[in-house]
Amino acid sequence: MLKNLLLFLAIILSINIWAQIPDLPSGIGTSENPYQIATLNNLYWVTQNSGSWGSHFIQTADIDASSTSTWHGGSGLNPIGNSSIKFTGTYDGDSFTIDEININRLSTDKIGLFGEINIASVKNLNLTNSNIKGKNYVGGLIGWCTNSPIDNCHVSGTVAGTGYVAGLSGFIRNGSSVNLCSSSCDVTGSGNHIGGLIGEAYASAEVTFDKSYSSGTISATGLYIG
């Protein structure tokens, strides 16, 4: 009986390990020949290779990310970009979808598919049924956005955190723009700056919005809610 149980546990463990193998995408990361993100393992490769975060990416297929709920002990997918190494490249979703991204990092700031971006570009991407949880600066797509355009991106699911929490981006600043974007996320925050689309837009340089909206619900108890 014990032998069979150990064999069963080994099989389950091996499935989880194999599910998280980073797979180098096709392409070389230039604007002429961007990395082609076709599978969840391609996306995992991006999250694990911060040296690629200044490169160009294009998504070439819909991706099922539901298995990320069990990754890293339940913490889910690693965000692309953080305070130390920001995402400074371009990501073109080419109108494809990533379904059911799971990130559960309640003690970590700058959480989203992209944790922090700076002088970057994210466009033409659909995120559906996402489940994103962090501390501060939490967004369904981007946690913290500086001097970067976000174009034609759409997010659904749930987003939760403490402060600066929103369906699209928790914090956006200094020359950034949001165009043709939407969020239908249900957003929950226990602190300040909780929004349907954006938690806070801070502008020492112009921040612009065009034809973008939120249709989700917001549950919050702090200040600057909307």
Side-chain angles (χ1 to χ4, degrees):
M1 178 69 72
L2 179 59
K3 182 178 180 180
N4 290 338
L5 178 60
L6 291 174
L7 178 61
F8 174 76
L9 292 174
I11 292 171
I12 295 299
L13 179 60
S14 67
I15 290 173
N16 283 331
I17 292 172
W18 282 107
Q20 297 178 55
I21 292 177
D23 188 8
L24 176 67
S26 300
I28 59 174
T30 64
S31 57
E32 297 81 11
N33 188 11
Y35 288 121
Q36 298 173 35
I37 307 303
T39 68
L40 182 57
N41 285 342
N42 289 157
L43 184 64
Y44 182 58
W45 180 90
V46 180
T47 69
Q48 299 301 298
N49 287 271
S50 59
S52 74
W53 291 352
S55 302
H56 299 270
F57 301 87
I58 186 167
Q59 192 167 321
T60 59
D62 292 331
I63 295 173
D64 178 358
S66 58
S67 63
T68 56
S69 62
T70 64
W71 287 13
H72 302 293
S75 295
L77 196 72
N78 287 317
I80 301 168
N82 52 50
S83 296
S84 300
I85 306 174
K86 301 166 180 59
F87 180 76
T88 58
T90 68
Y91 192 100
D92 182 355
D94 202 24
S95 297
F96 287 106
T97 296
I98 305 175
D99 185 54
E100 208 171 328
I101 289 175
N102 293 274
I103 303 175
N104 184 15
R105 299 169 185 266
L106 294 173
S107 62
T108 305
D109 293 338
K110 299 181 180 177
I111 293 297
L113 173 59
F114 298 90
E116 181 172 357
I117 72 173
N118 182 27
I119 316 178
S121 171
V122 181
K123 63 182 180 181
N124 305 324
L125 181 60
N126 302 306
L127 303 181
T128 55
N129 303 307
S130 297
N131 182 15
I132 310 295
K133 297 177 182 178
K135 188 177 181 182
N136 297 306
Y137 309 109
V138 183
L141 180 65
I142 301 167
W144 179 300
C145 174
T146 301
N147 198 23
S148 302
I150 310 169
D151 298 308
N152 193 31
C153 292
H154 309 279
V155 189
S156 70
T158 60
V159 182
T162 301
Y164 303 91
V165 184
L168 187 73
S169 181
F171 186 73
I172 184 170
R173 67 193 295 262
N174 294 16
S176 295
S177 61
V178 177
N179 307 296
L180 299 172
C181 293
S182 70
S183 166
S184 58
C185 293
D186 293 332
V187 179
T188 303
S190 57
N192 301 329
H193 302 282
I194 314 299
L197 191 69
I198 303 294
E200 181 182 0
Y202 174 84
S204 59
E206 186 177 34
V207 173
T208 62
F209 296 85
D210 186 37
K211 299 181 180 68
S212 299
Y213 66 92
S214 166
S215 60
T217 62
I218 303 172
S219 300
T221 56
L223 303 174
Y224 314 114
I225 311 302

